[in-house]
Amino acid sequence: MREPLALLMRPTSLKEVLGQTHLVGKDKVIFNMVHHKQLFSMILYGRPGCGKTTLATAIIHELGLRYRMLNAVINNKKDFDVVIEEAKMYGHMVVIMDEVHRLNKDKQDLLLPYLENGLITFIGMTTSNPYHSINPAIRSRCQIFECHELELEDIIKGLKRACKSDYLKNIKVKKDVLEYIAKLSSGDMRFAYNLLEIAYYSTSDFHVTMDIVTSINNKPAFFSDKNDDGHYDVLSGLQKSIRGSDVNASLHYLARLIEAGDLDSIFRRLSVIVYEDIGLANPSMGPKVDAAIHAAERVGLPEARIPLGTIVVEMALSPKSNSGEMAIDAALMDIRSGNTGNLPEHLRTNSTTYLYPHNYPNAWVKQQYLPDKLIGRKYYQPKTTSKYEQSLKSVYDKLNELEKRD
């Protein structure tokens, strides 16, 4: 038995990497890093099949470095010890680690000193957002790069490359069949290679037809139009329809995603929409969306369509407000531009001058909370599209008036 086609087709140089031009394109960060023959510890994150491992191994092969592959879950502490001893023997080792978000404290404590002294250069890979899921001790020692989902053209390019390789000898396949496989993959190159390889060996004469492919995997591929605008456009259509309170369009785009079986994308997008577009206009909607997602996960398809359809109707018809998003973005803009300042002395951990609001009438006492240089800054701008946010505005205005009094 030979290795799967997806492994055989794995690039050995940056120029062979599909997509990720924001990282490996000319004069981009990883391109220049390799050009200068320098490698730093990093974490690559993105959806399955987008090319994280491919990118990591392409970097290593192009630089000609020694490396070992580890998995944070499968490999035990003894495996880690072996790699460290090997690194000591050669003077340096690159460790490529999958599922880095699952790295436990024992293994982490084992690695950290060698990341610090440069004996090991670390390339971690994860499908989870590293800013939420990876231990800060590891995260602080690595640069974080997001790998984007591959475009339809990237997948087709990879499939054509496979058809010209020695691994699929005498293959006969039309362009429309390759395009169909690419659409079915939803940006997952590994899935596309696997489907093509199975179809190839499912024939007697290596002639891969549409009938062969659909007999193996007949999951419909739904895109916006004949121009193949793509998976993310359908998600965008869902969000914009809910934001625009068009319940019928919202259900249409939800149905397309359900029919494609893409529950994970639905869950993520609904979780964003409820806080980005509904927010303080209807704060009870957040827990409702979370409950609908849990119900859909519990029952799976096809029943998952019921809680999802129900909650999307309610979201589309709910009052809308983006004041929460606008407020945090305004605050982040100050932080990112260096407009911060020091905390007032009485807010610090060991302060003895802090006034405890609960000791005062209505749990409020006048004291400074923002740094000196930001006094008077207003991030939250209330909207009055709902009774709930009107009530928040009333409290907000009253507190602002109290602050102005001597």
Side-chain angles (χ1 to χ4, degrees):
M1 294 290 288
R2 71 171 193 180
E3 292 180 318
L5 180 64
L7 288 180
L8 295 171
M9 291 302 301
R10 185 161 281 169
T12 57
S13 66
L14 291 188
K15 67 181 180 181
E16 296 175 350
V17 172
L18 296 167
Q20 315 311 331
T21 54
H22 64 297
L23 298 175
V24 302
K26 184 172 174 56
D27 287 334
K28 299 301 181 181
V29 58
I30 290 180
F31 176 93
N32 285 335
M33 194 185 300
V34 171
H35 175 73
H36 292 301
K37 299 194 179 302
Q38 291 292 326
L39 182 62
F40 303 91
S41 292
M42 66 181 74
I43 293 170
L44 305 173
Y45 80 100
R47 288 188 59 180
C50 69
K52 299 182 294 296
T53 306
T54 293
L55 178 55
T57 54
I59 293 169
I60 297 307
H61 283 112
E62 188 139 330
L63 291 175
L65 299 173
R66 294 183 183 277
Y67 75 99
R68 288 291 178 265
M69 302 280 294
L70 291 174
N71 184 294
V73 177
I74 297 172
N75 292 109
N76 57 33
K77 192 170 178 290
K78 184 178 179 181
D79 297 325
F80 281 63
D81 286 329
V82 169
V83 170
I84 289 169
E85 290 305 312
E86 193 172 354
K88 290 176 180 177
M89 182 171 64
Y90 289 110
H92 178 258
M93 183 71 67
V94 178
V95 173
I96 300 176
M97 184 177 299
D98 203 5
E99 296 193 76
V100 63
H101 61 283
R102 304 284 296 275
L103 191 65
N104 65 31
K105 191 175 186 303
D106 286 347
K107 297 172 184 175
Q108 174 186 297
D109 290 345
L110 191 64
L111 283 175
L112 286 177
Y114 303 108
L115 293 183
E116 293 281 7
N117 66 22
L119 182 69
I120 286 177
T121 301
F122 183 77
I123 303 180
M125 298 167 297
T126 177
T127 56
S128 299
N129 187 328
Y131 295 101
H132 301 154
S133 61
I134 292 180
N135 190 296
I138 290 290
R139 197 172 65 227
S140 68
R141 290 163 174 81
C142 300
Q143 291 300 311
I144 296 176
F145 300 117
E146 180 179 6
C147 292
H148 294 165
E149 183 175 349
L150 297 180
E151 300 289 341
L152 187 68
E153 293 75 15
D154 297 323
I155 303 291
I156 293 172
K157 182 178 179 180
L159 292 173
K160 287 180 176 178
R161 187 184 292 172
C163 291
K164 293 177 182 177
S165 71
D166 292 334
Y167 307 123
L168 301 178
K169 289 182 179 179
N170 302 317
I171 187 172
K172 297 184 287 292
V173 58
K174 291 184 177 179
K175 180 181 177 182
D176 64 328
V177 178
L178 292 181
E179 290 176 350
Y180 182 70
I181 293 172
K183 290 178 182 179
L184 288 176
S185 73
S186 297
D188 187 333
M189 191 71 247
R190 187 189 303 110
F191 177 96
Y193 280 142
N194 290 344
L195 181 53
L196 178 63
E197 184 175 26
I198 293 170
Y200 173 78
Y201 285 109
S202 298
T203 68
S204 58
D205 57 357
F206 306 125
H207 184 193
V208 177
T209 64
M210 193 71 78
D211 287 342
I212 291 291
V213 173
T214 55
S215 71
I216 298 168
N217 189 317
N218 62 357
K219 181 185 73 171
F222 287 97
F223 289 79
S224 291
D225 56 29
K226 293 180 180 178
N227 294 323
D228 296 327
D229 287 334
H231 170 75
Y232 280 109
D233 284 347
V234 180
L235 287 167
S236 176
L238 173 66
Q239 179 159 7
K240 288 172 181 173
S241 298
I242 292 175
R243 181 186 296 151
S245 301
D246 190 325
V247 66
N248 296 303
S250 301
L251 287 168
H252 170 78
Y253 294 116
L254 175 67
R256 291 171 74 148
L257 292 163
I258 288 173
E259 193 65 16
D262 193 4
L263 290 181
D264 285 344
S265 291
I266 295 171
F267 297 161
R268 287 195 298 269
R269 188 56 65 105
L270 292 184
S271 296
V272 169
I273 295 169
V274 72
Y275 292 102
E276 181 178 347
D277 295 309
I278 296 173
L280 292 171
N282 188 357
S284 66
M285 189 59 68
K288 286 184 179 181
V289 168
D290 199 43
I293 288 172
H294 281 299
E297 285 180 320
R298 191 176 303 119
V299 301
L301 288 170
E303 289 84 357
R305 76 191 190 284
I306 302 170
L308 292 175
T310 302
I311 200 64
V312 162
V313 168
E314 194 170 357
M315 291 172 75
L317 298 178
S318 170
K320 309 295 192 299
S321 173
N322 69 341
S323 59
E325 180 196 14
M326 299 297 287
I328 187 60
D329 285 350
L332 285 169
M333 188 177 297
D334 270 348
I335 305 304
R336 290 165 182 167
S337 63
N339 193 18
T340 53
N342 296 321
L343 272 73
E345 188 67 34
H346 56 276
L347 296 188
R348 299 183 183 183
T349 306
N350 298 319
S351 169
T352 58
T353 58
Y354 171 64
L355 303 177
Y356 188 56
H358 293 290
N359 291 338
Y360 297 84
N362 300 315
W364 184 87
V365 60
K366 185 172 182 177
Q367 66 183 330
Q368 179 184 334
Y369 290 98
L370 279 169
D372 290 345
K373 66 185 297 186
L374 292 175
I375 289 176
R377 178 78 76 197
K378 306 293 183 189
Y379 298 121
Y380 175 51
Q381 302 296 329
K383 294 193 173 183
T384 55
T385 53
S386 70
K387 290 183 178 179
Y388 182 81
E389 198 159 10
Q390 286 174 16
S391 68
L392 290 183
K393 183 179 184 301
S394 176
V395 174
Y396 185 60
D397 291 343
K398 189 179 296 183
L399 291 171
N400 283 334
E401 285 300 318
L402 288 171
E403 284 290 342
K404 293 175 184 177
R405 296 179 186 178
D406 293 331

